[in-house]
């Protein structure tokens, strides 16, 4: 019997979180290669810390001259991402941070398993386990805790970039705990929001006064109650942020990238991976599937699938 009454918590991070900076750069490099050649091979990882970005991994294009050209564009792609996110602080600035490109051509031993040939279909760039489902909790068919945690940070990014809230800075986290009754979210029991800001004189109360109206704006009416606990910048000053405050890596926010902990996770990351990677392939394939399973009181419209190295479903766990 699925639980009907419980509290569930999910966390999201902003585009300026160090790990998300790395995801953004890896994805932008992937997009650049795929725009040139839909069958491009890309497995790109990024590391970011104080005044430095390091990019590594494997790439491939059928035209070697174009491959060399695109390898030369990697630094500019990374800087453009950092600029769009909004980092212009002394120890992490899009114009002055050092970018090191260590990308190299894809291994022939991986390529032999992926390349189509006369006697075989195209294979997958990896093996893996994928989980997926949809829920009617939100219009986006995502679990409410992760959907609302994302919505809070998207809205804060909008008002930061528009200039409406000039003291907000890119690095931020949100976390929301929802109480369920009868399998439906009915109340936000706790809201946690930590955001980088510009002025050391700003207190936690000052930051709450800035962000609370936007949080109330994006959450459904009635979800916040007088009993909701608020924790806004609970540790106090948060001026040093982004990769200067905490190193970032591609693929370290895989729970926030999926269901916020409301479903199992196979462990693979999305960012910087070309489409034959089975994690990306199955996420697309699952979108057309339905089943009648229930988990934590929610109907699972997408099945849980174990995938083999060919990118084909080996076991349907529904």
């Amino acid at each position: 019997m699925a639980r009907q009454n419980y509290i569930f918590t999910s966390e999201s991070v902003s585009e300026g979180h160090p790990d998300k900076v790395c995801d953004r750069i890896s994805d932008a490099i992937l997009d650049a290669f795929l725009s040139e050649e839909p069958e491009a091979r890309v497995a790109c990882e990024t590391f970011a810390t104080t005044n430095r970005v390091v990019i590594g991994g494997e790439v491939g294009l059928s035209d070697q001259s174009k491959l060399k050209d695109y390898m030369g564009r990697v630094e500019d792609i990374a800087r453009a991402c950092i600029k769009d996110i909004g980092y212009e602080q002394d120890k992490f600035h899009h114009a002055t941070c050092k970018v090191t490109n260590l990308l190299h051509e894809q291994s022939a031993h991986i390529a032999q398993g992926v390349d189509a040939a006369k006697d075989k279909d195209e294979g997958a760039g990896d093996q893996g386990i994928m989980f997926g489902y949809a829920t009617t909790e939100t219009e986006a068919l995502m679990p409410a805790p992760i959907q609302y945690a994302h919505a809070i940070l998207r809205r804060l990014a909008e008002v930061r970039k528009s200039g409406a809230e000039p003291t907000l800075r890119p690095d931020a986290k949100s976390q929301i705990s929802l109480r369920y009754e009868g399998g439906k979210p009915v109340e936000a029991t706790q809201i946690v929001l930590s955001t980088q800001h510009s002025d050391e004189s700003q207190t936690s109360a000052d930051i709450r006064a800035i962000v609370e109206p936007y949080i109330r704006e994006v959450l459904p009416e009635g979800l916040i109650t007088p009993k909701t606990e608020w924790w806004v910048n609970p540790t106090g000053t948060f001026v040093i942020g982004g990769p200067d405050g905490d190193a970032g890596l591609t693929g370290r926010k895989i729970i926030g990238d999926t269901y916020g902990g409301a479903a199992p996770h196979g462990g693979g990351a999305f960012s910087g991976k070309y489409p034959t990677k089975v994690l990306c392939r199955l996420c697309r394939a699952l979108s057309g599937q339905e089943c009648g399973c229930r988990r934590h009181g929610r109907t699972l419209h997408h099945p849980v699938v174990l995938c083999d190295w060919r990118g084909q479903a080996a076991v349907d766990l529904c």
Side-chain angles (χ1 to χ4, degrees):
M1 183 70 179
R3 290 180 300 162
Q4 296 292 300
N5 303 317
Y6 55 92
I7 294 174
F8 198 88
T9 301
S10 290
E11 176 197 61
S12 179
V13 298
S14 70
E15 64 176 350
H17 184 280
D19 295 331
K20 277 293 143 192
V21 172
C22 294
D23 284 349
R24 171 75 174 273
I25 293 171
S26 292
D27 281 333
I29 293 168
L30 169 66
D31 288 347
F33 275 80
L34 292 180
S35 68
E36 173 61 37
E37 183 178 318
E39 301 299 321
R41 307 290 167 74
V42 182
C44 177
E45 313 293 345
T46 303
F47 166 72
T49 187
T50 303
N51 276 333
R52 181 175 288 270
V53 172
V54 180
I55 301 162
E58 303 78 47
V59 294
L61 291 173
S62 58
D63 186 327
Q64 291 299 303
S65 63
K66 288 183 177 179
L67 177 60
K68 184 177 180 180
D69 174 50
Y70 271 80
M71 291 285 275
R73 302 184 191 183
V74 166
E75 180 176 338
D76 289 342
I77 292 170
R79 293 191 188 281
C81 291
I82 298 167
K83 182 178 181 179
D84 184 68
I85 291 168
Y87 276 116
E88 296 184 341
Q89 57 199 44
D90 289 343
K91 295 186 178 180
F92 196 75
H93 193 294
H94 61 84
T96 58
C97 67
K98 184 175 181 180
V99 179
T100 303
N101 177 12
L102 301 177
L103 290 169
H104 59 84
E105 192 170 358
Q106 184 184 53
S107 161
H109 291 172
I110 294 177
Q112 70 182 353
V114 179
D115 293 341
K118 290 189 297 184
D119 58 344
K120 76 177 187 70
D121 295 331
E122 180 183 63
D126 203 351
Q127 64 189 48
I129 301 171
M130 292 82 212
F131 299 87
Y133 76 97
T135 174
T136 55
E137 286 179 17
T138 64
E139 291 184 1
L141 304 181
M142 290 291 287
I146 190 64
Q147 183 68 17
Y148 298 149
H150 287 332
I152 289 168
L153 294 180
R154 278 196 299 268
R155 185 64 180 128
L156 293 182
E158 289 171 357
V159 297
R160 171 178 62 84
K161 288 184 167 183
S162 72
E165 298 297 344
T167 65
L168 296 183
R169 292 294 181 263
D171 195 357
K173 280 187 173 185
S174 65
Q175 185 171 319
I176 186 167
S177 299
L178 298 183
R179 182 171 62 85
Y180 284 74
E181 284 187 1
K184 297 181 178 181
V186 296
E187 178 189 17
T189 60
Q190 294 194 36
I191 296 171
V192 184
L193 189 285
S194 294
T195 181
Q196 184 185 13
H197 54 97
S198 63
D199 190 341
E200 289 191 359
S201 68
Q202 289 175 295
T203 66
S204 297
D206 293 333
I207 301 302
R208 176 172 173 175
I210 292 171
V211 303
E212 182 174 343
Y214 300 111
I215 294 173
R216 290 183 177 274
E217 175 187 318
V218 300
L219 296 185
E221 186 176 356
L223 206 60
I224 297 174
T225 74
K227 295 190 296 182
T228 301
E229 296 182 25
W230 290 77
W231 302 90
V232 177
N233 281 25
T235 61
T237 304
F238 184 7
V239 172
I240 300 172
D244 181 35
D246 191 16
L249 287 169
T250 298
R252 269 204 315 205
K253 288 295 175 280
I254 57 177
I255 299 302
D257 286 346
T258 52
Y259 300 99
H265 197 293
F270 294 123
S271 292
K273 307 302 188 299
Y274 65 110
T276 73
K277 295 289 188 180
V278 293
L279 182 63
C280 302
R281 177 177 288 179
L282 260 293
C283 284
R284 294 196 307 274
L286 287 170
S287 64
Q289 305 297 319
E290 293 187 359
C291 69
C293 298
R294 294 184 66 81
R295 187 186 303 277
H296 299 308
R298 296 184 286 272
T299 299
L300 308 188
H301 299 293
H302 299 177
V304 179
V305 174
L306 173 66
C307 181
D308 69 10
W309 65 271
R310 297 166 297 173
Q312 297 177 358
V315 181
D316 186 332
L317 300 181
C318 285

